[in-house]
Amino acid sequence: VHTEFNQDVVKKTKTIYLKGGQLTFTGRYWGSVGHTYEIEFDKEAFNMQSKRAYKHPEMVAAHMCGGDDGTLSFTLKPRKKGEFTVIEIFKFRGQETKRIKNTIVVK
């Protein structure tokens, strides 16, 4: 997977060495206000599960405006060995505010 993006948006790059196990990436997700979080990764290299946790689930249950503030987590479990890139994408109202490029080395 090759992704092109504006270098000005990348705030940091990090390398993670993984021997077995799994990785979890977590970011803020407040859809009704415009904060979103997503990741890009090689779908052949990892299995992915996502989970959303709300700060105030009672507000979500009551359908209160703005009550969906919380976090979105993506857990990646390696399917093969090698070096891969996982990019975290933070947006506000559709505009990218930050990207974090992670190099994952699976041994």
Side-chain angles (χ1 to χ4, degrees), residues 15-23 25 42 44-47 76-86 102-107:
T15 302
I16 301 166
Y17 294 92
L18 182 66
K19 188 172 184 177
Q22 59 192 25
L23 288 169
F25 296 92
D42 181 347
E44 292 181 18
F46 298 96
N47 289 324
L76 300 178
K77 186 163 185 156
R79 297 173 65 184
K80 59 186 179 180
K81 295 178 182 180
E83 184 173 307
F84 309 99
T85 300
V86 176
N102 301 281
T103 301
I104 313 300
V105 179
V106 180
K107 297 191 172 228

PDB file of all heavy atoms in Angstrom, residues 15-23 25 42 44-47 76-86 102-107:
ATOM      1  N   THR A  15       9.227   4.172  14.964  1.00  0.00           N
ATOM      2  CA  THR A  15       9.405   2.767  14.603  1.00  0.00           C
ATOM      3  C   THR A  15       9.050   1.907  15.801  1.00  0.00           C
ATOM      4  O   THR A  15       9.471   2.192  16.924  1.00  0.00           O
ATOM      5  CB  THR A  15      10.865   2.494  14.175  1.00  0.00           C
ATOM      6  OG1 THR A  15      11.178   3.353  13.068  1.00  0.00           O
ATOM      7  CG2 THR A  15      11.058   1.049  13.767  1.00  0.00           C
ATOM      8  N   ILE A  16       8.253   0.878  15.557  1.00  0.00           N
ATOM      9  CA  ILE A  16       7.823  -0.037  16.610  1.00  0.00           C
ATOM     10  C   ILE A  16       8.251  -1.440  16.215  1.00  0.00           C
ATOM     11  O   ILE A  16       7.957  -1.889  15.100  1.00  0.00           O
ATOM     12  CB  ILE A  16       6.280   0.013  16.772  1.00  0.00           C
ATOM     13  CG1 ILE A  16       5.832   1.435  17.129  1.00  0.00           C
ATOM     14  CG2 ILE A  16       5.801  -1.004  17.803  1.00  0.00           C
ATOM     15  CD1 ILE A  16       4.346   1.676  16.995  1.00  0.00           C
ATOM     16  N   TYR A  17       8.954  -2.115  17.114  1.00  0.00           N
ATOM     17  CA  TYR A  17       9.362  -3.495  16.868  1.00  0.00           C
ATOM     18  C   TYR A  17       8.384  -4.399  17.600  1.00  0.00           C
ATOM     19  O   TYR A  17       8.128  -4.220  18.788  1.00  0.00           O
ATOM     20  CB  TYR A  17      10.791  -3.738  17.369  1.00  0.00           C
ATOM     21  CG  TYR A  17      11.801  -2.948  16.577  1.00  0.00           C
ATOM     22  CD1 TYR A  17      12.197  -1.678  16.974  1.00  0.00           C
ATOM     23  CD2 TYR A  17      12.335  -3.459  15.394  1.00  0.00           C
ATOM     24  CE1 TYR A  17      13.103  -0.940  16.227  1.00  0.00           C
ATOM     25  CE2 TYR A  17      13.240  -2.728  14.643  1.00  0.00           C
ATOM     26  CZ  TYR A  17      13.623  -1.474  15.063  1.00  0.00           C
ATOM     27  OH  TYR A  17      14.513  -0.743  14.326  1.00  0.00           O
ATOM     28  N   LEU A  18       7.840  -5.366  16.877  1.00  0.00           N
ATOM     29  CA  LEU A  18       6.807  -6.234  17.439  1.00  0.00           C
ATOM     30  C   LEU A  18       7.197  -7.682  17.236  1.00  0.00           C
ATOM     31  O   LEU A  18       7.435  -8.127  16.117  1.00  0.00           O
ATOM     32  CB  LEU A  18       5.455  -5.942  16.750  1.00  0.00           C
ATOM     33  CG  LEU A  18       4.253  -6.715  17.236  1.00  0.00           C
ATOM     34  CD1 LEU A  18       3.923  -6.336  18.684  1.00  0.00           C
ATOM     35  CD2 LEU A  18       3.059  -6.431  16.349  1.00  0.00           C
ATOM     36  N   LYS A  19       7.280  -8.400  18.329  1.00  0.00           N
ATOM     37  CA  LYS A  19       7.568  -9.829  18.261  1.00  0.00           C
ATOM     38  C   LYS A  19       6.373 -10.535  18.889  1.00  0.00           C
ATOM     39  O   LYS A  19       6.223 -10.565  20.113  1.00  0.00           O
ATOM     40  CB  LYS A  19       8.859 -10.149  19.025  1.00  0.00           C
ATOM     41  CG  LYS A  19       9.318 -11.573  18.840  1.00  0.00           C
ATOM     42  CD  LYS A  19      10.684 -11.780  19.459  1.00  0.00           C
ATOM     43  CE  LYS A  19      11.158 -13.188  19.168  1.00  0.00           C
ATOM     44  NZ  LYS A  19      12.510 -13.397  19.683  1.00  0.00           N
ATOM     45  N   GLY A  20       5.488 -11.045  18.027  1.00  0.00           N
ATOM     46  CA  GLY A  20       4.252 -11.641  18.532  1.00  0.00           C
ATOM     47  C   GLY A  20       3.322 -10.552  19.025  1.00  0.00           C
ATOM     48  O   GLY A  20       3.581  -9.367  18.883  1.00  0.00           O
ATOM     49  N   GLY A  21       2.206 -10.920  19.598  1.00  0.00           N
ATOM     50  CA  GLY A  21       1.302  -9.942  20.194  1.00  0.00           C
ATOM     51  C   GLY A  21       0.523  -9.125  19.186  1.00  0.00           C
ATOM     52  O   GLY A  21       0.302  -9.539  18.055  1.00  0.00           O
ATOM     53  N   GLN A  22       0.130  -7.939  19.611  1.00  0.00           N
ATOM     54  CA  GLN A  22      -0.683  -7.060  18.787  1.00  0.00           C
ATOM     55  C   GLN A  22      -0.427  -5.610  19.167  1.00  0.00           C
ATOM     56  O   GLN A  22       0.183  -5.327  20.182  1.00  0.00           O
ATOM     57  CB  GLN A  22      -2.159  -7.403  18.969  1.00  0.00           C
ATOM     58  CG  GLN A  22      -2.636  -7.278  20.402  1.00  0.00           C
ATOM     59  CD  GLN A  22      -4.009  -7.890  20.616  1.00  0.00           C
ATOM     60  OE1 GLN A  22      -4.425  -8.777  19.874  1.00  0.00           O
ATOM     61  NE2 GLN A  22      -4.711  -7.421  21.624  1.00  0.00           N
ATOM     62  N   LEU A  23      -0.894  -4.699  18.334  1.00  0.00           N
ATOM     63  CA  LEU A  23      -0.731  -3.261  18.549  1.00  0.00           C
ATOM     64  C   LEU A  23      -2.096  -2.603  18.595  1.00  0.00           C
ATOM     65  O   LEU A  23      -2.985  -2.985  17.850  1.00  0.00           O
ATOM     66  CB  LEU A  23       0.018  -2.631  17.377  1.00  0.00           C
ATOM     67  CG  LEU A  23       1.481  -2.918  17.227  1.00  0.00           C
ATOM     68  CD1 LEU A  23       1.947  -2.430  15.868  1.00  0.00           C
ATOM     69  CD2 LEU A  23       2.249  -2.209  18.316  1.00  0.00           C
ATOM     70  N   PHE A  25      -3.890   1.255  18.346  1.00  0.00           N
ATOM     71  CA  PHE A  25      -3.788   2.686  18.068  1.00  0.00           C
ATOM     72  C   PHE A  25      -5.099   3.318  18.504  1.00  0.00           C
ATOM     73  O   PHE A  25      -6.171   2.828  18.151  1.00  0.00           O
ATOM     74  CB  PHE A  25      -3.554   2.942  16.578  1.00  0.00           C
ATOM     75  CG  PHE A  25      -2.245   2.400  16.083  1.00  0.00           C
ATOM     76  CD1 PHE A  25      -2.165   1.129  15.544  1.00  0.00           C
ATOM     77  CD2 PHE A  25      -1.095   3.161  16.169  1.00  0.00           C
ATOM     78  CE1 PHE A  25      -0.956   0.621  15.090  1.00  0.00           C
ATOM     79  CE2 PHE A  25       0.121   2.667  15.713  1.00  0.00           C
ATOM     80  CZ  PHE A  25       0.189   1.400  15.180  1.00  0.00           C
ATOM     81  N   ASP A  42      -1.614  -1.942   5.631  1.00  0.00           N
ATOM     82  CA  ASP A  42      -1.650  -3.045   4.669  1.00  0.00           C
ATOM     83  C   ASP A  42      -2.586  -4.121   5.212  1.00  0.00           C
ATOM     84  O   ASP A  42      -2.273  -4.795   6.192  1.00  0.00           O
ATOM     85  CB  ASP A  42      -0.236  -3.591   4.473  1.00  0.00           C
ATOM     86  CG  ASP A  42      -0.171  -4.725   3.456  1.00  0.00           C
ATOM     87  OD1 ASP A  42      -1.217  -5.274   3.072  1.00  0.00           O
ATOM     88  OD2 ASP A  42       0.958  -5.068   3.053  1.00  0.00           O
ATOM     89  N   GLU A  44      -3.295  -6.926   4.066  1.00  0.00           N
ATOM     90  CA  GLU A  44      -2.769  -8.281   3.933  1.00  0.00           C
ATOM     91  C   GLU A  44      -1.782  -8.602   5.056  1.00  0.00           C
ATOM     92  O   GLU A  44      -1.500  -9.759   5.325  1.00  0.00           O
ATOM     93  CB  GLU A  44      -2.095  -8.464   2.581  1.00  0.00           C
ATOM     94  CG  GLU A  44      -3.084  -8.431   1.428  1.00  0.00           C
ATOM     95  CD  GLU A  44      -2.404  -8.641   0.095  1.00  0.00           C
ATOM     96  OE1 GLU A  44      -1.261  -9.145   0.062  1.00  0.00           O
ATOM     97  OE2 GLU A  44      -3.025  -8.308  -0.922  1.00  0.00           O
ATOM     98  N   ALA A  45      -1.263  -7.569   5.728  1.00  0.00           N
ATOM     99  CA  ALA A  45      -0.259  -7.764   6.774  1.00  0.00           C
ATOM    100  C   ALA A  45      -0.872  -7.874   8.167  1.00  0.00           C
ATOM    101  O   ALA A  45      -0.252  -8.448   9.063  1.00  0.00           O
ATOM    102  CB  ALA A  45       0.747  -6.619   6.759  1.00  0.00           C
ATOM    103  N   PHE A  46      -2.084  -7.332   8.361  1.00  0.00           N
ATOM    104  CA  PHE A  46      -2.693  -7.303   9.697  1.00  0.00           C
ATOM    105  C   PHE A  46      -4.184  -7.637   9.646  1.00  0.00           C
ATOM    106  O   PHE A  46      -4.871  -7.282   8.693  1.00  0.00           O
ATOM    107  CB  PHE A  46      -2.575  -5.893  10.320  1.00  0.00           C
ATOM    108  CG  PHE A  46      -1.179  -5.415  10.533  1.00  0.00           C
ATOM    109  CD1 PHE A  46      -0.562  -4.600   9.603  1.00  0.00           C
ATOM    110  CD2 PHE A  46      -0.474  -5.775  11.680  1.00  0.00           C
ATOM    111  CE1 PHE A  46       0.726  -4.137   9.795  1.00  0.00           C
ATOM    112  CE2 PHE A  46       0.819  -5.323  11.878  1.00  0.00           C
ATOM    113  CZ  PHE A  46       1.416  -4.503  10.944  1.00  0.00           C
ATOM    114  N   ASN A  47      -4.649  -8.275  10.709  1.00  0.00           N
ATOM    115  CA  ASN A  47      -6.081  -8.373  10.980  1.00  0.00           C
ATOM    116  C   ASN A  47      -6.406  -7.202  11.890  1.00  0.00           C
ATOM    117  O   ASN A  47      -5.627  -6.873  12.779  1.00  0.00           O
ATOM    118  CB  ASN A  47      -6.436  -9.682  11.686  1.00  0.00           C
ATOM    119  CG  ASN A  47      -6.303 -10.880  10.777  1.00  0.00           C
ATOM    120  OD1 ASN A  47      -6.597 -10.804   9.585  1.00  0.00           O
ATOM    121  ND2 ASN A  47      -5.850 -11.994  11.324  1.00  0.00           N
ATOM    122  N   LEU A  76      -4.406  -4.106  15.844  1.00  0.00           N
ATOM    123  CA  LEU A  76      -3.849  -4.831  14.705  1.00  0.00           C
ATOM    124  C   LEU A  76      -3.092  -6.051  15.193  1.00  0.00           C
ATOM    125  O   LEU A  76      -2.247  -5.947  16.081  1.00  0.00           O
ATOM    126  CB  LEU A  76      -2.902  -3.932  13.918  1.00  0.00           C
ATOM    127  CG  LEU A  76      -3.494  -2.659  13.327  1.00  0.00           C
ATOM    128  CD1 LEU A  76      -2.407  -1.856  12.620  1.00  0.00           C
ATOM    129  CD2 LEU A  76      -4.623  -2.969  12.364  1.00  0.00           C
ATOM    130  N   LYS A  77      -3.396  -7.183  14.586  1.00  0.00           N
ATOM    131  CA  LYS A  77      -2.678  -8.418  14.890  1.00  0.00           C
ATOM    132  C   LYS A  77      -1.957  -8.839  13.604  1.00  0.00           C
ATOM    133  O   LYS A  77      -2.592  -9.007  12.565  1.00  0.00           O
ATOM    134  CB  LYS A  77      -3.644  -9.501  15.349  1.00  0.00           C
ATOM    135  CG  LYS A  77      -2.924 -10.734  15.804  1.00  0.00           C
ATOM    136  CD  LYS A  77      -3.805 -11.628  16.626  1.00  0.00           C
ATOM    137  CE  LYS A  77      -2.934 -12.768  17.118  1.00  0.00           C
ATOM    138  NZ  LYS A  77      -3.417 -13.366  18.289  1.00  0.00           N
ATOM    139  N   PRO A  78      -0.630  -8.983  13.658  1.00  0.00           N
ATOM    140  CA  PRO A  78       0.134  -9.311  12.452  1.00  0.00           C
ATOM    141  C   PRO A  78      -0.254 -10.661  11.853  1.00  0.00           C
ATOM    142  O   PRO A  78      -0.511 -11.619  12.572  1.00  0.00           O
ATOM    143  CB  PRO A  78       1.586  -9.358  12.933  1.00  0.00           C
ATOM    144  CG  PRO A  78       1.602  -8.694  14.253  1.00  0.00           C
ATOM    145  CD  PRO A  78       0.235  -8.840  14.827  1.00  0.00           C
ATOM    146  N   ARG A  79      -0.283 -10.683  10.530  1.00  0.00           N
ATOM    147  CA  ARG A  79      -0.545 -11.922   9.797  1.00  0.00           C
ATOM    148  C   ARG A  79       0.729 -12.482   9.187  1.00  0.00           C
ATOM    149  O   ARG A  79       0.772 -13.634   8.781  1.00  0.00           O
ATOM    150  CB  ARG A  79      -1.553 -11.654   8.692  1.00  0.00           C
ATOM    151  CG  ARG A  79      -2.903 -11.210   9.232  1.00  0.00           C
ATOM    152  CD  ARG A  79      -3.838 -10.795   8.143  1.00  0.00           C
ATOM    153  NE  ARG A  79      -4.173 -11.933   7.297  1.00  0.00           N
ATOM    154  CZ  ARG A  79      -4.921 -11.843   6.217  1.00  0.00           C
ATOM    155  NH1 ARG A  79      -5.402 -10.684   5.843  1.00  0.00           N
ATOM    156  NH2 ARG A  79      -5.186 -12.900   5.496  1.00  0.00           N
ATOM    157  N   LYS A  80       1.763 -11.612   9.090  1.00  0.00           N
ATOM    158  CA  LYS A  80       3.031 -12.060   8.514  1.00  0.00           C
ATOM    159  C   LYS A  80       4.165 -11.181   9.022  1.00  0.00           C
ATOM    160  O   LYS A  80       3.938 -10.123   9.601  1.00  0.00           O
ATOM    161  CB  LYS A  80       2.972 -12.037   6.985  1.00  0.00           C
ATOM    162  CG  LYS A  80       2.671 -10.694   6.367  1.00  0.00           C
ATOM    163  CD  LYS A  80       2.492 -10.854   4.853  1.00  0.00           C
ATOM    164  CE  LYS A  80       2.153  -9.539   4.184  1.00  0.00           C
ATOM    165  NZ  LYS A  80       1.978  -9.717   2.743  1.00  0.00           N
ATOM    166  N   LYS A  81       5.392 -11.638   8.806  1.00  0.00           N
ATOM    167  CA  LYS A  81       6.574 -10.902   9.236  1.00  0.00           C
ATOM    168  C   LYS A  81       6.991  -9.918   8.157  1.00  0.00           C
ATOM    169  O   LYS A  81       6.685 -10.099   6.984  1.00  0.00           O
ATOM    170  CB  LYS A  81       7.719 -11.872   9.527  1.00  0.00           C
ATOM    171  CG  LYS A  81       7.444 -12.784  10.694  1.00  0.00           C
ATOM    172  CD  LYS A  81       8.570 -13.766  10.918  1.00  0.00           C
ATOM    173  CE  LYS A  81       8.193 -14.689  12.080  1.00  0.00           C
ATOM    174  NZ  LYS A  81       9.240 -15.657  12.357  1.00  0.00           N
ATOM    175  N   GLY A  82       7.695  -8.864   8.587  1.00  0.00           N
ATOM    176  CA  GLY A  82       8.191  -7.881   7.636  1.00  0.00           C
ATOM    177  C   GLY A  82       8.132  -6.483   8.214  1.00  0.00           C
ATOM    178  O   GLY A  82       7.915  -6.300   9.413  1.00  0.00           O
ATOM    179  N   GLU A  83       8.332  -5.495   7.342  1.00  0.00           N
ATOM    180  CA  GLU A  83       8.283  -4.089   7.750  1.00  0.00           C
ATOM    181  C   GLU A  83       7.092  -3.442   7.062  1.00  0.00           C
ATOM    182  O   GLU A  83       6.938  -3.546   5.843  1.00  0.00           O
ATOM    183  CB  GLU A  83       9.578  -3.391   7.358  1.00  0.00           C
ATOM    184  CG  GLU A  83       9.637  -1.954   7.838  1.00  0.00           C
ATOM    185  CD  GLU A  83      10.991  -1.317   7.587  1.00  0.00           C
ATOM    186  OE1 GLU A  83      12.012  -1.905   7.994  1.00  0.00           O
ATOM    187  OE2 GLU A  83      11.013  -0.240   6.968  1.00  0.00           O
ATOM    188  N   PHE A  84       6.244  -2.796   7.843  1.00  0.00           N
ATOM    189  CA  PHE A  84       5.002  -2.240   7.332  1.00  0.00           C
ATOM    190  C   PHE A  84       4.798  -0.825   7.864  1.00  0.00           C
ATOM    191  O   PHE A  84       5.378  -0.447   8.876  1.00  0.00           O
ATOM    192  CB  PHE A  84       3.809  -3.115   7.746  1.00  0.00           C
ATOM    193  CG  PHE A  84       4.009  -4.562   7.427  1.00  0.00           C
ATOM    194  CD1 PHE A  84       4.419  -5.456   8.401  1.00  0.00           C
ATOM    195  CD2 PHE A  84       3.819  -5.032   6.140  1.00  0.00           C
ATOM    196  CE1 PHE A  84       4.618  -6.792   8.108  1.00  0.00           C
ATOM    197  CE2 PHE A  84       4.026  -6.364   5.824  1.00  0.00           C
ATOM    198  CZ  PHE A  84       4.425  -7.252   6.818  1.00  0.00           C
ATOM    199  N   THR A  85       3.954  -0.066   7.193  1.00  0.00           N
ATOM    200  CA  THR A  85       3.634   1.295   7.610  1.00  0.00           C
ATOM    201  C   THR A  85       2.184   1.362   8.054  1.00  0.00           C
ATOM    202  O   THR A  85       1.297   0.854   7.357  1.00  0.00           O
ATOM    203  CB  THR A  85       3.867   2.287   6.454  1.00  0.00           C
ATOM    204  OG1 THR A  85       5.232   2.224   6.068  1.00  0.00           O
ATOM    205  CG2 THR A  85       3.525   3.702   6.871  1.00  0.00           C
ATOM    206  N   VAL A  86       1.960   1.977   9.209  1.00  0.00           N
ATOM    207  CA  VAL A  86       0.611   2.266   9.693  1.00  0.00           C
ATOM    208  C   VAL A  86       0.553   3.777   9.890  1.00  0.00           C
ATOM    209  O   VAL A  86       1.371   4.346  10.612  1.00  0.00           O
ATOM    210  CB  VAL A  86       0.296   1.537  11.021  1.00  0.00           C
ATOM    211  CG1 VAL A  86      -1.090   1.934  11.537  1.00  0.00           C
ATOM    212  CG2 VAL A  86       0.392   0.029  10.844  1.00  0.00           C
ATOM    213  N   ASN A 102       3.875   5.434  11.381  1.00  0.00           N
ATOM    214  CA  ASN A 102       4.482   4.411  12.224  1.00  0.00           C
ATOM    215  C   ASN A 102       5.067   3.324  11.336  1.00  0.00           C
ATOM    216  O   ASN A 102       4.359   2.760  10.503  1.00  0.00           O
ATOM    217  CB  ASN A 102       3.429   3.777  13.134  1.00  0.00           C
ATOM    218  CG  ASN A 102       2.758   4.784  14.036  1.00  0.00           C
ATOM    219  OD1 ASN A 102       3.310   5.178  15.045  1.00  0.00           O
ATOM    220  ND2 ASN A 102       1.563   5.220  13.671  1.00  0.00           N
ATOM    221  N   THR A 103       6.339   3.021  11.525  1.00  0.00           N
ATOM    222  CA  THR A 103       6.955   1.891  10.839  1.00  0.00           C
ATOM    223  C   THR A 103       6.909   0.726  11.816  1.00  0.00           C
ATOM    224  O   THR A 103       7.460   0.804  12.913  1.00  0.00           O
ATOM    225  CB  THR A 103       8.406   2.211  10.433  1.00  0.00           C
ATOM    226  OG1 THR A 103       8.389   3.353   9.576  1.00  0.00           O
ATOM    227  CG2 THR A 103       9.047   1.028   9.727  1.00  0.00           C
ATOM    228  N   ILE A 104       6.260  -0.347  11.409  1.00  0.00           N
ATOM    229  CA  ILE A 104       6.099  -1.524  12.253  1.00  0.00           C
ATOM    230  C   ILE A 104       6.987  -2.628  11.712  1.00  0.00           C
ATOM    231  O   ILE A 104       6.870  -3.004  10.539  1.00  0.00           O
ATOM    232  CB  ILE A 104       4.631  -2.018  12.267  1.00  0.00           C
ATOM    233  CG1 ILE A 104       3.649  -0.871  12.483  1.00  0.00           C
ATOM    234  CG2 ILE A 104       4.457  -3.132  13.296  1.00  0.00           C
ATOM    235  CD1 ILE A 104       3.824  -0.104  13.764  1.00  0.00           C
ATOM    236  N   VAL A 105       7.887  -3.127  12.537  1.00  0.00           N
ATOM    237  CA  VAL A 105       8.765  -4.226  12.151  1.00  0.00           C
ATOM    238  C   VAL A 105       8.292  -5.462  12.912  1.00  0.00           C
ATOM    239  O   VAL A 105       8.409  -5.530  14.131  1.00  0.00           O
ATOM    240  CB  VAL A 105      10.242  -3.921  12.459  1.00  0.00           C
ATOM    241  CG1 VAL A 105      11.126  -5.094  12.059  1.00  0.00           C
ATOM    242  CG2 VAL A 105      10.683  -2.637  11.756  1.00  0.00           C
ATOM    243  N   VAL A 106       7.718  -6.410  12.176  1.00  0.00           N
ATOM    244  CA  VAL A 106       7.201  -7.641  12.766  1.00  0.00           C
ATOM    245  C   VAL A 106       8.246  -8.722  12.594  1.00  0.00           C
ATOM    246  O   VAL A 106       8.642  -9.048  11.483  1.00  0.00           O
ATOM    247  CB  VAL A 106       5.865  -8.067  12.130  1.00  0.00           C
ATOM    248  CG1 VAL A 106       5.339  -9.346  12.767  1.00  0.00           C
ATOM    249  CG2 VAL A 106       4.837  -6.948  12.226  1.00  0.00           C
ATOM    250  N   LYS A 107       8.710  -9.270  13.732  1.00  0.00           N
ATOM    251  CA  LYS A 107       9.757 -10.303  13.695  1.00  0.00           C
ATOM    252  C   LYS A 107       9.188 -11.669  13.995  1.00  0.00           C
ATOM    253  O   LYS A 107       8.230 -11.818  14.666  1.00  0.00           O
ATOM    254  CB  LYS A 107      10.850  -9.961  14.702  1.00  0.00           C
ATOM    255  CG  LYS A 107      11.521  -8.664  14.353  1.00  0.00           C
ATOM    256  CD  LYS A 107      12.753  -8.479  15.184  1.00  0.00           C
ATOM    257  CE  LYS A 107      13.506  -7.276  14.677  1.00  0.00           C
ATOM    258  NZ  LYS A 107      14.882  -7.498  14.480  1.00  0.00           N
TER     259      LYS A 107
END
